[in-house]
Amino acid sequence: MKKIISFSGIVFLSVTVFAQQKWTEVTRDNISIVTNKGGQTLGYSLTSGVKIITVDGFAFKDLNKNGKLDKYEDWRLPVDVRAKDLASKMSVEQIAGLMLYSAHQAIPANARGFGAGTYGGKPIDSSGMQPYDISDQQKKFLKEDNLRHVLITRVLSPEVAAKWNNNVQAFVEALGLGIPANNSSDPRNGVVANAEYNLGSGGAISMWPESIGMAATFNPSIVQNFGYIAAQEYRALGIATALSPQIDLATEPRWNRFNGTFGENPPLATDMARAYVDGFQTSTGSFEIKNGWGFHSVNAMVKHWPSGGPEEGGRDAHFAYGKFAVYPGNNFQTQLKPFVDGGFKLNGKTKEAAAVMPYYTISYNQDTKNHENVGNGYSKYLITDLLRTKYHYDGVVCTDWLITADEGKTPDMFMGKSWGVEKLSVAERHYKVLMAGVDQFGGNNVAGPVLEAYQMGVKEHGEQWMRQRFEQSAVRLLRNIFQVGLFENPYLDPAQSTKTVGNADFMKAGYDAQLKSIVMLKNKSNILPIAKTKTVYIPKRTVPAARDWFGNTTPERVEYPVNINIVQKYFNVTEDPSKADMAIVFVKGPNGGVGYSSDDRKNGGNGYVPISLQYGAYSAADAREQSIAAGDPVIDPTIKNRSYKGKTVTANNVADLKNILDTKAAMNGKPVIVCMALTNPAVVAEFESKIEGLVVSFGVQDQALMDILSGKTEPSGLLPFQMPADMQTVETQKEDVPQDMKPYKDSEGHSYDFAYGLNWKGVIKDARVIKYKKK
């Protein structure tokens, strides 16, 4: 029996009701939604060739179109039973495709440059195609390479993302065994700093402080709520896996990924890691399928095992100059705590993070069994002996992006990161990764090298053994697709997606978290909060020329550092310092470089230079004479010492220091307040004694800062790390040891140590401080 029905004004094509069955079917836009009474809701595309099978009165999807109910199609069975059945049915080529993780995909694909794609051979803007159509490149890797894990970057809108998801799911549902796409994302809930927050308004997506800002709240429940909200937004965008959280222990203050972590304190970082994963992975109520997993769940991929934090000299392993993590404090075990005591020991029903990503680094001299110094993703000791065997982890392990590709011609080129195995072929690298116990290859769209690796395994171990090894990874990968309900219904309602992503409640929760993450460090003579009747002077800021990881450059410019229209809603604003009651100077923390200089190399040096956490010139008199680790057999075989002792660098935004000092002079004795946006700890000795107020933030909207400065909200954030007294203490601290620097003491006698912060009454000494400060 068929009839036309309408829900909330939306007219569906038809509803099919089978009197003797326990299910009904609704069809709209070539997608059918089947509701099983007392069972799972199913979704399938009318264009995919999939039909419904009825067994015991319930509906099931015939994904492989063989006319019978296979175990993997039976939603009543446990996930592992279904995954093992499907893995046994997959060809080697299909499993190889399942092991791939795509390069970055924008929706729609960029017309040129990084992530470019075509539609019918043409860029999107001249193709006549819709932004939610599938690109030529996506069709190729989905069909020819059997890829099912897609990394999504920019999306035009929630509606476009939902429609693209539906197109992709219909496309892959029509292929082979009908395995759905498991789309993923790097963190995407950062702020647009100059956007205005309105209590009743929504946004493109809820906006939250950076992870280090989350840590500054010292409140894991805020992080768990973020995960709960972000997971709903992700699922509404068609994203079922988060390439996060980044739970490296940030024991090296110069590392340029410091701000993506939860800081350097092991107990705090561990609690935050656990809360984040619980929030992302847990579904409740009608959205739960089983064991906490369900249609609101997002698989969390914790990174980067076994922590990428202790980079020698702070240099990052995306580049050859930063390939080594070192352990001068013999503190390797502490680096594991956010993983083994956090992400792998959840409070929620999902029990542990669904996936793990090893970092690019060579964890130098930590392999006590095989004594190999290879990238973490290649290390059998780190993956099989520690992660799998000692810590009993049986989830997905996915390499970081492009570890099997060839490196660039110089240490500062952003290309492949095959650290420690540079001389192996691409296929040999894939084989070594598999033998280490890894399941998936990040950033690889092409199955060919994986199939070559399979044949290497057949030659060494035999067909049966290698087939079993492939199926082992397939089961892990399929488990993450089954448990979030994608095999049942991967389709979205674009209208509902638009309502969900960035809705007013989600935006408010994110804004409230921003407020709680802001830390007041100095408030001389209670200069803060600022009365609304006051007139403030805000100097413009020189934004230095910059070059990103991909080689794109931006020229120097001078501009207001905040949205002046927002500031004017709180205070009177003048461009004349003589007419101001006080000045507010907005700066960014010192950007002291990356630790490598091609100019130094061209001039006969080894290329290695300091990374500075102060604005002014810093000479590394206390650096090591001999680096702990060194060597690159391909591009720089003659460099046996990466020391930068005696070399000098100046932060590229030293103009920020000049801005502070010039403003102090221009104010002629009137108060100066500095608002510093931090991504790393900073040396503030160059200016602190000359100012009256200091507030630091970690990725917040301008309006949140105004709410603090004006007194609308009382500051409550705490430092999630130590602020160093000087660069000497930075240079002499050990990369793998937390909280081993001498903290800065300001002119008021306050020590900028871990867990320090001020409110209007003075130094905060609440339960959060008591809980974490003593540990």
Side-chain angles (χ1 to χ4, degrees):
M1 178 178 67
K2 293 187 177 181
K3 58 183 179 179
I4 302 295
I5 67 165
S6 172
F7 291 121
S8 302
I10 301 174
V11 179
F12 292 86
L13 294 181
S14 66
V15 176
T16 303
V17 182
F18 295 87
Q20 304 303 317
Q21 309 301 339
K22 302 175 183 177
W23 53 275
T24 57
E25 185 172 6
V26 177
T27 301
R28 178 174 59 88
D29 295 335
N30 283 325
I31 295 172
S32 277
I33 304 298
V34 177
T35 302
N36 280 295
K37 185 177 181 180
Q40 292 301 318
T41 296
L42 313 179
Y44 70 98
S45 170
L46 298 180
T47 65
S48 69
V50 166
K51 305 296 182 184
I52 292 297
I53 297 174
T54 301
V55 176
D56 299 331
F58 292 111
F60 303 86
K61 292 160 66 174
D62 184 14
L63 291 167
N64 62 0
K65 309 170 188 67
N66 66 355
K68 65 178 184 178
L69 180 63
D70 293 287
K71 287 182 179 179
Y72 85 91
E73 298 165 335
D74 190 343
W75 44 259
R76 298 169 300 182
L77 296 177
V79 162
D80 274 13
V81 171
R82 300 177 70 187
K84 288 175 183 177
D85 177 64
L86 179 51
S88 71
K89 290 176 165 59
M90 295 175 72
S91 68
V92 169
E93 290 76 14
Q94 288 170 327
I95 295 176
L98 196 65
M99 290 177 167
L100 304 179
Y101 223 125
S102 84
H104 301 71
Q105 303 295 311
I107 304 171
N110 297 326
R112 59 196 62 83
F114 181 74
T118 56
Y119 297 79
K122 299 178 180 179
I124 184 67
D125 48 13
S126 61
S127 67
M129 305 287 278
Q130 297 297 325
Y132 46 77
D133 286 326
I134 311 172
S135 73
D136 300 333
Q137 292 74 21
Q138 291 162 357
K139 289 178 181 178
K140 181 181 185 300
F141 63 60
L142 291 169
K143 184 175 183 179
E144 296 180 20
D145 293 289
N146 296 293
L147 184 147
R148 291 297 179 273
H149 293 81
V150 183
L151 174 56
I152 296 173
T153 56
R154 173 188 51 78
V155 298
L156 187 61
S157 69
E159 180 185 14
V160 166
K163 289 182 176 180
W164 178 87
N165 170 80
N166 291 351
N167 286 337
V168 166
Q169 300 295 2
F171 183 81
V172 297
E173 192 174 72
L175 303 175
L177 296 162
I179 299 171
N182 182 358
N183 303 321
S184 70
S185 174
D186 282 310
R188 58 191 312 115
N189 289 81
V191 306
V192 178
N194 60 2
E196 184 171 5
Y197 171 72
N198 182 306
L199 182 63
S201 69
I205 196 166
S206 64
M207 294 188 288
W208 300 71
E210 295 176 330
S211 290
I212 196 65
M214 297 279 204
T217 70
F218 277 60
N219 189 343
S221 66
I222 290 176
V223 176
Q224 185 161 344
N225 189 45
F226 160 70
Y228 173 74
I229 287 172
Q232 293 178 64
E233 294 182 311
Y234 277 35
R235 292 304 300 265
L237 295 170
I239 296 166
T241 293
L243 302 187
S244 59
Q246 184 189 334
I247 59 175
D248 311 90
L249 200 59
T251 51
E252 169 45 63
R254 295 164 291 189
W255 186 31
N256 68 9
R257 301 194 70 179
F258 192 103
N259 60 319
T261 76
F262 293 120
E264 63 178 320
N265 180 262
L268 179 62
T270 297
D271 288 351
M272 293 295 187
R274 184 187 306 111
Y276 188 110
V277 179
D278 266 332
F280 263 90
Q281 292 190 169
T282 303
S283 290
T284 59
S286 62
F287 297 101
E288 182 181 1
I289 298 172
K290 192 173 183 180
N291 298 327
W293 291 104
F295 293 102
H296 276 178
S297 298
V298 171
N299 297 295
M301 184 180 292
V302 294
K303 59 187 186 183
H304 305 87
W305 177 262
S307 179
E311 303 264 11
E312 183 162 21
R315 299 182 297 270
D316 182 61
H318 277 85
F319 300 87
Y321 57 66
K323 65 171 65 176
F324 295 108
V326 295
Y327 303 84
N330 297 316
N331 218 29
F332 177 81
Q333 202 63 33
T334 300
Q335 299 286 327
L336 305 183
K337 287 184 178 295
F339 296 89
V340 300
D341 295 332
F344 301 163
K345 289 184 180 178
L346 304 181
N347 293 328
K349 292 159 69 176
T350 65
K351 295 184 179 180
E352 68 179 14
V356 175
M357 181 187 294
Y359 202 39
Y360 298 118
T361 43
I362 296 170
S363 296
Y364 193 67
N365 286 349
Q366 298 308 301
D367 181 350
T368 58
K369 183 176 180 180
N370 307 304
H371 305 288
E372 270 195 316
N373 277 315
V374 293
N376 298 328
Y378 291 102
S379 173
K380 187 174 183 180
Y381 173 75
L382 293 176
I383 305 302
T384 293
D385 296 340
L386 284 189
L387 183 59
R388 299 285 194 203
T389 303
K390 182 175 180 179
Y391 296 112
H392 310 291
Y393 184 77
D394 192 41
V396 168
V397 178
C398 175
T399 74
D400 212 330
W401 263 232
L402 297 177
I403 77 163
T404 56
D406 292 333
E407 62 182 316
K409 294 180 180 180
T410 59
D412 56 349
M413 288 187 69
F414 187 82
M415 293 186 67
K417 301 121 187 23
S418 52
W419 312 144
V421 294
E422 294 90 345
K423 290 187 175 181
L424 296 183
S425 70
V426 171
E428 287 169 337
R429 292 171 193 158
H430 281 76
Y431 182 57
K432 188 169 180 62
V433 166
L434 290 171
M435 293 304 100
V438 175
D439 304 299
Q440 198 166 28
F441 301 92
N444 184 354
N445 296 0
V446 182
V450 186
L451 295 173
E452 287 185 68
Y454 181 84
Q455 292 304 322
M456 292 176 186
V458 170
K459 185 176 180 180
E460 182 175 356
H461 299 286
E463 181 84 41
Q464 183 178 357
W465 188 94
M466 197 60 192
R467 169 76 199 193
Q468 185 179 17
R469 172 66 189 87
F470 256 43
E471 287 193 24
Q472 181 184 46
S473 286
V475 169
R476 293 170 181 150
L477 291 160
L478 291 168
R479 182 189 295 144
N480 288 0
I481 306 177
F482 277 113
Q483 64 196 10
V484 296
L486 290 175
F487 273 92
E488 275 58 71
N489 183 20
Y491 296 97
L492 300 171
D493 177 349
Q496 186 58 48
S497 292
T498 300
K499 291 179 182 178
T500 298
V501 179
N503 70 51
D505 289 341
F506 292 176
M507 296 297 289
K508 183 179 186 304
Y511 188 76
D512 288 346
Q514 292 179 47
L515 293 171
K516 290 179 171 66
S517 73
I518 297 170
V519 185
M520 183 167 67
L521 296 179
K522 185 176 183 179
N523 192 19
K524 185 177 180 180
S525 302
N526 294 320
I527 190 66
L528 295 172
I530 304 170
K532 191 168 185 177
T533 56
K534 297 294 183 180
T535 299
V536 300
Y537 166 63
I538 297 175
K540 291 184 177 180
R541 177 174 182 263
T542 299
V543 180
R547 180 176 182 269
D548 67 18
W549 281 3
F550 310 110
N552 302 310
T553 59
T554 53
E556 180 180 287
R557 63 189 187 277
V558 178
E559 63 187 20
Y560 276 114
V562 289
N563 186 331
I564 291 296
N565 292 329
I566 290 177
V567 179
Q568 288 172 336
K569 295 183 178 182
Y570 291 81
F571 315 113
N572 300 314
V573 179
T574 179
E575 294 185 356
D576 184 351
S578 68
K579 296 179 180 179
D581 296 303
M582 63 190 65
I584 309 174
V585 186
F586 293 87
V587 298
K588 293 186 181 295
N591 181 355
V594 298
Y596 187 85
S597 166
S598 57
D599 288 340
D600 179 85
R601 188 73 179 99
K602 291 174 184 175
N603 292 328
N606 62 1
Y608 293 87
V609 295
I611 296 175
S612 179
L613 297 182
Q614 68 182 37
Y615 291 116
Y618 164 61
S619 295
D622 298 296
R624 297 183 181 109
E625 293 276 2
Q626 172 66 49
S627 62
I628 293 175
D632 191 303
V634 177
I635 60 175
D636 226 351
T638 63
I639 303 299
K640 306 298 183 184
N641 185 4
R642 295 185 170 196
S643 174
Y644 47 82
K645 186 177 178 66
K647 295 181 182 179
T648 301
V649 294
T650 301
N652 81 334
N653 62 332
V654 67
D656 278 341
L657 175 62
K658 185 175 186 298
N659 205 9
I660 295 171
L661 300 179
D662 287 352
T663 301
K664 179 64 178 177
M667 291 301 292
N668 197 25
K670 289 182 286 188
V672 174
I673 298 161
V674 171
C675 290
M676 177 181 276
L678 290 179
T679 58
N680 294 77
V683 176
V684 297
E686 296 166 298
F687 64 87
E688 176 277 323
S689 64
K690 300 174 178 63
I691 63 172
E692 283 67 38
L694 178 58
V695 174
V696 297
S697 62
F698 311 96
V700 302
Q701 293 170 258
D702 297 341
Q703 187 171 345
L705 285 168
M706 293 303 108
D707 281 348
I708 296 291
L709 296 176
S710 67
K712 183 177 181 180
T713 300
E714 185 171 21
S716 62
L718 302 167
L719 280 177
F721 49 74
Q722 294 178 311
M723 291 280 272
D726 48 41
M727 278 304 299
Q728 181 183 34
T729 192
V730 173
E731 201 66 73
T732 56
Q733 58 86 36
K734 296 176 179 177
E735 286 92 338
D736 60 326
V737 178
Q739 296 170 223
D740 63 338
M741 293 191 295
K742 177 184 177 182
Y744 179 75
K745 182 174 285 190
D746 71 9
S747 62
E748 304 300 291
H750 294 140
S751 178
Y752 292 2
D753 204 349
F754 171 78
Y756 164 75
L758 298 172
N759 57 23
W760 303 140
K761 300 179 184 66
V763 178
I764 298 171
K765 297 179 180 179
D766 59 17
R768 299 171 301 159
V769 178
I770 294 170
K771 180 177 181 179
Y772 291 108
K773 178 70 172 178
K774 66 181 180 181
K775 296 181 180 180

